[in-house]
Amino acid sequence: NFHFMKHNYICDAQIYDACVSFINQNAQMIKKLNLENNFLLHLANMLEYGLFDSNELNKLIELFTNKSCKFR
């Protein structure tokens, strides 16, 4: 939510772009703090609320996996 407000996203239609931006900026920190499951659950909840579709969810998970795997 703070990321959404900080970067001036103005509607639900921009949620996918906000998630991409968030992943690009924070994937390694999420991995380092062992919060992957929490983050993926949050994405699943957004899917349930219709903020993006299942194809976009798959793309977000793939992006997160690729970004976070650099941190091991």
Side-chain angles (χ1 to χ4, degrees):
N1 294 335
F2 290 121
H3 181 79
F4 193 80
M5 293 183 312
K6 180 180 177 184
H7 295 283
N8 296 318
Y9 296 105
I10 57 171
C11 65
D12 288 351
Q14 295 176 314
I15 290 286
Y16 176 78
D17 293 332
C19 289
V20 168
S21 172
F22 183 82
I23 290 169
N24 285 327
Q25 292 176 14
N26 299 295
Q28 291 183 357
M29 180 187 64
I30 292 168
K31 178 79 170 180
K32 180 180 178 182
L33 296 174
N34 199 28
L35 296 171
E36 302 101 323
N37 290 339
N38 298 62
F39 180 66
L40 295 175
L41 179 61
H42 190 57
L43 291 178
N45 286 333
M46 288 192 278
L47 174 69
E48 289 292 317
Y49 281 97
L51 297 175
F52 44 73
D53 62 37
S54 59
N55 290 329
E56 290 172 324
L57 175 63
N58 288 334
K59 290 177 188 176
L60 291 171
I61 292 171
E62 182 178 353
L63 176 63
F64 176 72
T65 302
N66 291 336
K67 294 286 183 176
S68 65
C69 74
K70 293 178 183 177
F71 179 82
R72 289 191 187 232

